[in-house]
Amino acid sequence: MQTLTVSLPGRSYPVYIGRGILSRAGEMIRRHLGEVTVCVITDDHVAPLYLGKVIASLKEAGLKTASISLPHGEQTKSLDSLKFLYDFLCARHITRKDVILALGGGVIGDLAGLAAATWLRGIPLVQAPTSLLAQVDSSVGGKVAVDLPQGKNLVGAFHQPSLVLCDPDTLDTLPEEFWRDGMGEVVKYGCIADEALFALLEGAATGGREAVSRHMDEILLRCIAHKAGVVAQDELDTGWRMTLNFGHTLGHAIEACQHYDGLRHGEAVSIGMAAITRLTEAQGMTAPGTAQRLENLLHALHLPTAIPDIPFGDLLCAMSRDKKSAGNDLRLIALDRIGACRIITATPDFYRPLFQPEQTSGRAE
Ligand code: NAD
Ligand code: GLY
């Protein structure tokens, strides 16, 4: 088992990464949080696979349990689900001394996290991420939220977990499309901060999921270590944490323009990373050859790089609603080279060259 720490003043917490660690959830929670009641929140894909194991471990450690399984999918990240959870927590008499354990992907982590942030003005949260995206990104750092019909993650909070239990074995059952989504975020870490990770992925990607998975322990460690460092430096996302949004401005705009019913998040971010790198390289901000190297890796992982057929005006509108905007300008993340990045400020028009006929190499026809 490997342990990383998210260092925050007075609120540091461990991230335990280990195969089979879900079977030790009870012992770990008891050690860190004492004799609590653990309320496990999960979804109907994850529950049949892992809930029994977690509940058995909690009981074995002498902890009282409650559990609830919600429908899988982004629609569950809603105010209606939050209200449903409040009713459940109320019925089970969950107090401030008790704990919510989020067992699942990013949807469950964000929703259960917001319930923990707000129930009785905040109770302890344990994240047990089971998707690749949740393991490398959403379970660490304290961002919790639900969606509104008007947009994603519009109601949320910062609520750091008390501990994170990351079990790489759970990835064996993760469906292919969600594995690819997570790989988009893994590539992101290689791009912004870790050339050795990027090179490892380049070496393994042509061998497919099986070859990449052989390196999963190292991949998780590198990604989570980077995220933990960034969160420690900028918990509330006012500065360097924005670099985690490399490729996300255009990616989010594509998702919004397709009403979250088109490309998946990881696919949209893949396109966003490739697009901005083509642009910054053309402008001399990024080392020559970086865009091609990035596109080669994304293609080897079966992630797309071509911008779908969406009118530029629609994408501009969506980008100008980006949470990272500074007045009329956008804060964008540009690579200096693979493994190093910086924050730049640009107007949304920055993306226009990608939509002009003479430079449409990256556009879907
Ligand atoms: P998800 O939670 O919907 O999980 C993907 C699918 O895989 C679901 O159907 C789920 O039931 C299933 N699943 C999860 N683990 C499994 C396993 N081990 N075996 C089999 N099936 C499994 O989606 P996601 O991609 O994990 O997360 C996406 C969400 O994360 C979005 O709502 C996004 O906004 C959020 N997010 C949050 C942050 C943050 O910092 N809080 C960061 C990035 C993304
Ligand atoms: N997923 C981006 C962040 O946590 O800031």
Side-chain angles (χ1 to χ4, degrees):
M1 185 177 72
Q2 305 271 359
T3 309
L4 294 167
T5 302
V6 181
S7 301
L8 292 167
R11 289 167 302 126
S12 294
Y13 59 92
V15 181
Y16 295 114
I17 307 162
R19 294 190 176 270
I21 205 175
L22 283 186
S23 308
R24 296 176 57 197
E27 162 203 338
M28 313 288 264
I29 291 173
R30 194 176 175 119
R31 188 191 321 153
H32 284 275
L33 296 163
E35 206 178 318
V36 289
T37 295
V38 182
C39 178
V40 185
I41 299 174
T42 188
D43 75 25
D44 58 359
H45 279 165
V46 175
L49 295 166
Y50 304 111
L51 182 59
K53 187 186 283 195
V54 170
I55 295 287
S57 159
L58 296 168
K59 289 197 165 146
E60 203 179 309
L63 301 177
K64 292 201 186 91
T65 64
S67 67
I68 183 163
S69 172
L70 300 165
H72 65 275
E74 188 68 32
Q75 301 88 316
T76 284
K77 235 178 85 173
S78 67
L79 286 175
D80 284 348
S81 302
L82 193 62
K83 160 85 171 57
F84 186 71
L85 287 180
Y86 292 147
D87 290 341
F88 179 76
L89 296 169
C90 198
R92 294 307 183 104
H93 308 291
I94 299 297
T95 73
R96 275 193 184 153
K97 289 195 183 123
D98 299 323
V99 173
I100 286 180
L101 189 160
L103 175 69
V107 163
I108 288 298
D110 281 12
L111 170 69
L114 186 57
T118 48
W119 179 245
L120 307 178
R121 299 201 176 88
I123 70 171
L125 169 69
V126 174
Q127 291 275 11
T130 61
S131 72
L132 181 55
L133 182 142
Q135 295 190 349
V136 297
D137 191 359
S138 60
S139 64
V140 174
K143 282 188 183 175
V144 295
V146 294
D147 306 331
L148 293 182
Q150 294 88 335
K152 275 191 68 171
N153 297 324
L154 290 181
V155 179
F158 287 93
H159 186 64
Q160 299 293 342
S162 301
L163 68 152
V164 181
L165 301 173
C166 174
D167 186 340
D169 277 350
T170 60
L171 301 181
D172 293 348
T173 56
L174 189 67
E176 185 63 29
E177 67 269 30
F178 298 111
W179 189 83
R180 277 206 299 272
D181 256 2
M183 284 311 296
E185 299 292 341
V186 171
V187 171
K188 175 193 80 179
Y189 286 109
C191 287
I192 62 175
D194 189 344
E195 187 174 15
L197 170 62
F198 194 94
L200 182 158
L201 296 172
E202 285 179 314
T206 46
R209 178 170 174 172
E210 202 187 317
V212 175
S213 297
R214 271 185 237 124
H215 301 274
M216 197 45 83
D217 291 9
E218 179 175 357
I219 290 171
L220 292 175
L221 203 60
R222 283 179 174 274
C223 294
I224 299 169
H226 182 71
K227 175 122 194 203
V230 171
V231 169
Q233 191 180 336
D234 177 25
E235 181 187 4
L236 299 182
D237 201 10
T238 56
W240 197 241
R241 188 164 176 173
M242 281 177 213
T243 57
L244 299 177
N245 263 24
F246 171 54
H248 282 55
T249 302
L250 181 61
H252 282 157
I254 292 170
E255 285 184 273
C257 287
Q258 297 184 328
H259 309 287
Y260 303 99
D261 198 21
L263 289 167
R264 309 188 42 73
H265 177 71
E267 294 171 325
V269 168
S270 171
I271 292 167
M273 293 192 291
I276 190 153
T277 306
R278 282 198 294 275
L279 286 170
T280 56
E281 189 175 315
Q283 296 193 11
M285 286 185 236
T286 299
T290 306
Q292 191 59 57
R293 204 177 154 194
L294 173 56
E295 291 197 25
N296 290 347
L297 176 57
L298 293 169
H299 290 158
L301 291 165
H302 304 290
L303 284 162
T305 56
I307 300 174
D309 204 4
I310 299 170
F312 182 54
D314 294 359
L315 285 169
L316 269 185
C317 268
M319 283 194 275
S320 60
R321 289 195 295 269
D322 192 280
K323 287 204 283 298
K324 302 291 184 294
S325 60
N328 291 330
D329 288 343
L330 295 173
R331 302 237 181 82
L332 300 174
I333 313 309
L335 298 186
D336 298 329
R337 54 179 171 77
I338 296 295
C341 67
R342 69 180 119 149
I343 301 171
I344 60 170
T345 302
T347 65
D349 241 21
F350 184 81
Y351 283 98
R352 194 177 289 278
L354 291 173
F355 293 80
Q356 285 168 346
E358 68 275 19
Q359 293 188 44
T360 52
S361 59
R363 273 212 89 185
E365 296 302 330

